[in-house]
């Protein structure tokens, strides 16, 4: 490895660590505001909330690493352009591709780490976080549940909670395509939901077939849906492929699962597009009074995040093809970078 390679990797690597700390704090702050702050406001145990937040750190690191890489690249290369280091490299016969090479090498390291963590560490950590909330719900349902909360039982049925009070929960619905359980009251006992004063209705087509009342029924729970959409990131690649195959065989839509599967690869692979874009932009801005500055660095980083968020939502809803939704933002930055490399100073 040459002196130039070591210099570029050292400069960008140090900035990546600082940027990653900022990005992770921002992502965790979003989780705290959207999910955890309402729980604290309803009286949830702060220790439980802190544990859950800690289990979200690996996810924030994996998702924040590509953004931190983009931020660091733009910041370092912009500074090198302002201080005429890039001009000196060109004058000394160092090509733009030669500058790009060590940055791609560093990006490959981030890609491998993020890809491996996204399919192993992150799913386990998110599932452990859900288990923390699950145990807390069993002890104090009013603090962690709210009307409209959805749960999943051990048989894959959707459990809908309509009312939450100090006495327990009410207006419970356990729903499948063939039947529905309706109960006025429910309470948690040792990992199960106990329903009382309810009714079971089975369906044949669109019409009710049988109706029977019950005094008591137990529903074993395995999952809580206490987060905003995006929980598919807690599944591994194998689990996503299995779910896609199952939904396809049943004729059910699987846009969200296929989008999540492609994002497993597209998010860490964004580092390659970022390296091309940052180098192209840095050389394009040479030779004039133009300077990217801190504001420009922040704006360009935010543009990718905004594009990625919109693409994810459109892919999950089936508006965009999942491949385009997952890989589109990467493609935009890569094409822009190649154009800038061609137009930049030689």
């Amino acid at each position: 490895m040459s002196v130039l390679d070591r210099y570029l990797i050292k400069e960008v690597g140090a900035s990546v660590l600082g940027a990653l700390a900022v990005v992770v704090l921002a992502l965790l702050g979003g989780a705290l505001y959207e999910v955890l702050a309402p729980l604290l406001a309803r009286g949830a145990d702060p220790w439980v909330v802190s544990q859950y937040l800690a289990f979200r750190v690996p996810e924030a690191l994996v998702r924040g690493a590509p953004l931190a890489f983009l931020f660091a690249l733009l910041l370092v290369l912009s500074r090198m352009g302002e201080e005429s280091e890039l001009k000196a490299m060109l004058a000394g016969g160092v090509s733009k591709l030669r500058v790009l090479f060590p940055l791609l090498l560093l990006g490959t390291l981030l890609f491998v780490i993020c890809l491996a963590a996204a399919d192993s560490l992150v799913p386990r950590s998110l599932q452990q976080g859900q288990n923390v909330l699950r145990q807390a719900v069993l002890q104090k349902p009013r603090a962690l549940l709210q009307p409209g909360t959805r749960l999943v039982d051990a048989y894959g049925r959707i459990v809908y909670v309509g009312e939450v009070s100090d006495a327990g929960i009410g207006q419970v619905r356990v729903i499948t395509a063939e039947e529905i359980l309706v109960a006025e009251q429910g309470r948690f006992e040792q990992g199960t939901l106990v329903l009382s004063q309810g009714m079971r209705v089975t369906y044949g087509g669109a019409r009710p077939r049988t109706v029977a009342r019950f005094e008591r029924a137990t529903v074993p729970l395995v999952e809580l849906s206490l987060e905003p959409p995006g929980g598919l990131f807690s599944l591994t690649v194998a689990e996503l492929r299995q779910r896609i195959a199952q939904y396809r065989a049943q004729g059910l839509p699987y846009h969200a699962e296929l989008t999540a599967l492609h994002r497993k690869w597209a998010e860490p692979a964004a580092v390659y597009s970022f390296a091309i874009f940052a180098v192209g932009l840095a050389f394009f801005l040479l030779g004039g009074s133009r300077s990217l500055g801190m504001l420009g660095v922040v704006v360009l980083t935010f543009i990718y995040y905004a594009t990625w968020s919109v693409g994810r939502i459109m892919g999950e809803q089936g508006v965009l093809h999942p491949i385009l939704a997952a890989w589109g933002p990467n493609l935009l930055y890569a094409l822009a970078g190649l154009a800038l490399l061609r137009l930049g100073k030689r």
Side-chain angles (χ1 to χ4, degrees), residues 72-122:
L73 285 171
L74 294 172
L75 190 64
V76 170
L77 293 174
S78 176
R79 178 192 61 77
M80 293 176 65
E82 293 175 1
E83 297 178 0
S84 300
E85 292 184 46
L86 295 180
K87 289 182 182 179
M89 290 180 187
L90 288 177
V94 177
S95 68
K96 291 179 283 187
L97 294 180
R98 185 65 187 83
V99 175
L100 178 62
F101 172 75
L103 302 179
L104 291 176
L105 191 63
L106 180 59
T108 299
L109 178 62
L110 284 176
F111 170 77
V112 172
I113 293 174
C114 291
L115 186 63
D119 202 43
S120 57
L121 176 61
V122 172

Side-chain angles (χ1 to χ4, degrees), residues 29-259:
L32 181 62
Y33 175 77
E34 294 179 6
V35 181
L36 304 182
L39 301 183
L40 290 171
R42 293 198 298 270
D45 185 355
W47 171 242
V48 171
V49 173
S50 300
Q51 284 182 294
Y52 177 72
L53 193 63
F55 283 120
R56 294 291 298 267
V57 171
E59 177 198 17
L61 286 170
V62 169
R63 285 187 161 171
L67 288 173
F69 187 59
L70 173 61
F71 186 91
L73 285 171
L74 294 172
L75 190 64
V76 170
L77 293 174
S78 176
R79 178 192 61 77
M80 293 176 65
E82 293 175 1
E83 297 178 0
S84 300
E85 292 184 46
L86 295 180
K87 289 182 182 179
M89 290 180 187
L90 288 177
V94 177
S95 68
K96 291 179 283 187
L97 294 180
R98 185 65 187 83
V99 175
L100 178 62
F101 172 75
L103 302 179
L104 291 176
L105 191 63
L106 180 59
T108 299
L109 178 62
L110 284 176
F111 170 77
V112 172
I113 293 174
C114 291
L115 186 63
D119 202 43
S120 57
L121 176 61
V122 172
R124 288 199 304 269
S125 179
L126 290 177
Q127 289 165 9
Q128 288 173 330
Q130 283 291 326
N131 288 336
V132 169
L133 288 186
R134 180 174 179 269
Q135 293 301 321
V137 165
L138 300 180
Q139 299 172 8
K140 198 174 183 181
R142 180 173 173 78
L144 294 172
L145 295 182
Q146 59 182 333
T149 296
R150 295 176 296 114
L151 302 88
V152 180
D153 75 356
Y155 305 105
R157 300 176 297 186
I158 301 298
V159 181
Y160 177 84
V161 179
E163 295 179 355
V164 181
S165 65
D166 293 329
I169 60 176
Q171 299 297 321
V172 183
R173 307 288 187 269
V174 182
I175 305 169
T176 67
E178 295 80 19
E179 68 173 8
I180 180 172
L181 302 179
V182 182
E184 294 298 323
Q185 297 177 346
R187 66 183 185 278
F188 296 102
E189 292 183 0
Q190 299 180 348
T192 62
L193 174 61
V194 179
L195 305 179
S196 57
Q197 304 295 324
M199 179 173 60
R200 177 176 180 264
V201 181
T202 61
Y203 289 87
R207 297 183 178 181
R209 186 171 54 188
T210 64
V211 178
R213 293 191 173 276
F214 62 85
E215 293 295 324
R216 175 187 168 93
T218 59
V219 180
L221 301 175
V222 295
E223 183 181 345
L224 295 179
S225 298
L226 299 175
E227 300 179 78
L232 291 175
F233 200 68
S234 63
L235 301 178
T236 65
V237 170
E239 290 170 339
L240 284 170
R241 286 176 175 168
Q242 181 180 4
R243 184 174 293 192
I244 290 170
Q246 178 183 357
Y247 285 4
R248 182 182 291 150
Q250 296 175 352
L252 301 174
Y254 51 90
H255 307 293
E257 288 73 17
L258 189 56
T259 300

Side-chain angles (χ1 to χ4, degrees), residues 7-25:
Y7 173 71
L8 288 172
I9 291 176
K10 178 182 177 182
E11 290 293 313
V12 175
S15 297
V16 166
L17 293 177
L20 183 58
V22 175
V23 173
V24 167
L25 287 175

